[in-house]
């Protein structure tokens, strides 16, 4: 039992370093949330507002994925699973656009 | 020690333990589940009459949703702090942070309940408009994910967690890491839902 609950000083320092990063990411996410709300009051077209909102959400999402979900240090196998999922996701997102172009001149 | 192989130790072929690989494959399937609905949202939005989504979207409560966003972000950081505490073999801190995560999750549900009931009191239902249909579908599915996550979090916060920790602290840390990955994903989905439904 004793060796299971032991932790080296180096490990402890390393985790504490990570904890500081988590706090910084937390602060960044809070600030970006308020920026998201502030940007929504700008007088811009829907397309501009859409890309602004998605861009800020993507930055926030990248912070969560990269630091909280440790994707920046993750193994290749997981990166490839996510890359293939992202390709399939983008196909899903572009399907409605194909329909739009086919039927109207919305874009 | 767990009797199931490759829960803690890494498989030589993937370089990962099965718990982590398994949860990432699950998350990939979840991305496609929500992706289909996001795609439906885009389709419905562009097919709707001019101003229809703006009109119904203006009926949503932005301050409440902003508060809920902050609540989920806070729960994500307390979740990872509980895992970090376990890695530092600080069980009391782990329990405190996991408890805070559960409270934030419950807080999110309470705010969502107030939002939903206020809509119902004003005669607004999923059948009221296309926007409300996709709004209730997307947020309802997200709420179900929060509920599922909370059940797992409460399970590990209960005496089961302490028993597992006494048996093998690394096993509990592994379980919390995997649960955390799911919880962060649920936060990630909300990060996109919030601006798309409430602010656009």
């Amino acid at each position: 039992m004793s060796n299971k609950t032991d932790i080296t000083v180096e490990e402890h320092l390393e985790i504490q370093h990570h904890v500081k990063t988590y706090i910084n990411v937390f602060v960044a996410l809070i600030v970006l949330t308020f920026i998201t709300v502030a940007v929504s009051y700008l007088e811009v077209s829907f397309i501009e507002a859409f890309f602004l909102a998605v861009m800020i959400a993507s930055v926030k999402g990248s912070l969560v994925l990269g630091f909280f979900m440790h994707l920046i240090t993750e193994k290749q196998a997981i990166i490839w699973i996510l890359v293939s999922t992202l390709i399939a996701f983008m196909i899903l997102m572009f399907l409605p656009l194909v329909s739009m172009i086919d039927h109207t001149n919305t874009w | 020690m767990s009797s199931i192989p490759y829960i803690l130790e890494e498989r030589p072929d993937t370089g990962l333990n099965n718990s982590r690989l398994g949860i990432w494959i699950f998350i990939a399937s979840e991305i496609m589940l929500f992706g289909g609905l996001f795609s439906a949202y885009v389709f419905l939005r562009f097919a709707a009459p001019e101003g229809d989504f703006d009109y119904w979207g203006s009926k949503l409560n932005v301050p409440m949703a902003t508060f809920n966003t902050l609540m989920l972000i806070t729960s994500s950081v307390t979740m990872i702090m509980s895992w970090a505490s376990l890695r530092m073999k600080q069980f009391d801190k782990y329990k405190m942070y996991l408890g805070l995560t559960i409270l934030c999750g419950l807080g999110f549900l309470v705010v969502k309940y107030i939002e939903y009931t206020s809509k119902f009191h004003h005669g607004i239902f999923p059948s009221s408009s296309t926007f409300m249909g996709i709004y209730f579908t997307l947020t309802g599915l997200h709420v179900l994910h929060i509920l599922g996550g909370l059940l797992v979090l409460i399970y590990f916060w209960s005496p089961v967690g302490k028993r597992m920790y006494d048996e093998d602290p690394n096993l509990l840390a592994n379980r919390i890491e995997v649960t955390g990955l799911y919880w962060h994903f649920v936060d990630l989905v909300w990060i996109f839902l919030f601006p798309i439904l409430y602010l656009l």
Side-chain angles (χ1 to χ4, degrees):
Chain A
M1 170 104 174
S2 62
N3 62 341
K4 280 180 181 174
T5 51
D6 282 350
I7 178 169
T8 64
V9 179
E10 288 78 17
E11 277 177 319
H12 200 276
L13 286 174
E14 192 203 331
I15 298 164
Q16 279 192 329
H17 174 72
H18 285 306
V19 166
K20 276 184 194 153
T21 310
Y22 300 147
I23 303 294
N24 289 336
V25 170
F26 172 60
V27 173
L29 288 172
I30 298 285
V31 172
L32 284 167
T33 299
F34 287 114
I35 291 175
T36 310
V37 178
V39 158
S40 72
Y41 290 102
L42 290 177
E43 292 289 329
V44 290
S45 71
F46 172 73
I47 298 295
E48 286 166 334
F50 180 82
F51 281 109
L52 264 175
V54 171
M55 212 174 68
I56 300 169
S58 300
V59 173
K60 288 170 76 182
S62 306
L63 287 172
V64 172
L65 273 168
F67 295 99
F68 288 171
M69 298 171 88
H70 300 126
L71 212 57
I72 46 172
T73 53
E74 199 46 276
K75 296 272 168 49
Q76 285 293 308
I78 285 169
I79 302 294
W80 283 113
I81 288 170
L82 286 178
V83 167
S84 50
T85 309
L86 191 69
I87 293 167
F89 178 81
M90 292 316 283
I91 292 169
L92 262 183
M93 293 309 289
F94 277 99
L95 278 180
L97 301 187
V98 173
S99 167
M100 291 300 133
I101 293 161
D102 210 25
H103 290 92
T104 66
N105 291 320
T106 309
W107 286 76
Chain B
M1 178 61 85
S2 168
S3 56
I4 307 169
Y6 304 117
I7 291 297
L8 293 177
E9 69 274 30
E10 292 171 354
R11 272 180 74 109
D13 49 0
T14 59
L16 290 156
N17 61 51
N18 283 353
S19 322
R20 235 172 57 231
L21 184 60
I23 196 71
W24 274 110
I25 292 171
F26 176 68
I27 287 171
S29 76
E30 290 279 89
I31 291 171
M32 295 314 291
L33 172 67
F34 279 100
L37 288 169
F38 273 116
S39 178
Y41 167 86
V42 174
F43 180 78
L44 293 171
R45 171 129 207 169
F46 285 106
E50 186 81 24
D52 185 66
F53 267 51
D54 295 333
Y55 171 75
W56 288 99
S58 67
K59 295 189 179 295
L60 298 182
N61 192 322
V62 176
M64 269 194 178
T66 308
F67 178 76
N68 255 356
T69 307
L70 299 176
M71 195 93 94
L72 272 195
I73 289 171
T74 308
S75 81
S76 248
V77 79
T78 53
M79 183 76 230
I80 201 147
M81 292 297 279
S82 73
W83 173 71
S85 304
L86 267 186
R87 283 195 63 203
M88 289 190 279
K89 308 288 190 286
Q90 297 169 335
F91 187 80
D92 290 341
K93 275 194 174 178
Y94 149 77
K95 269 211 102 165
M96 182 193 75
Y97 282 122
L98 197 65
L100 285 173
T101 311
I102 293 167
L103 281 179
C104 287
L106 288 173
F108 180 91
L109 289 182
V110 168
V111 173
K112 211 77 208 125
Y113 172 80
I114 295 168
E115 260 194 281
Y116 277 180
T117 47
S118 135
K119 293 286 160 294
F120 298 151
H121 283 311
H122 287 92
I124 298 170
F125 298 97
S127 57
S128 299
S129 70
T130 308
F131 174 83
M132 284 300 164
I134 194 75
Y135 162 79
F136 278 107
T137 306
L138 275 165
T139 55
L141 185 66
H142 184 260
V143 161
L144 286 178
H145 279 75
I146 294 273
L147 270 172
L150 276 175
L151 285 178
V152 179
L153 293 179
I154 291 168
Y155 175 78
F156 286 118
W157 191 78
S158 76
V160 174
K162 177 67 180 155
R163 274 204 300 275
M164 202 180 276
Y165 182 79
D166 289 340
E167 190 188 327
D168 184 354
N170 294 325
L171 183 62
L172 181 62
N174 170 275
R175 294 286 194 266
I176 292 301
E177 181 188 10
V178 169
T179 310
L181 283 170
Y182 169 81
W183 191 258
H184 300 312
F185 170 74
V186 175
D187 178 25
L188 189 67
V189 170
W190 183 258
I191 282 173
F192 283 91
L193 279 183
F194 170 56
I196 284 172
L197 291 175
Y198 289 83
L199 303 177
L200 285 176

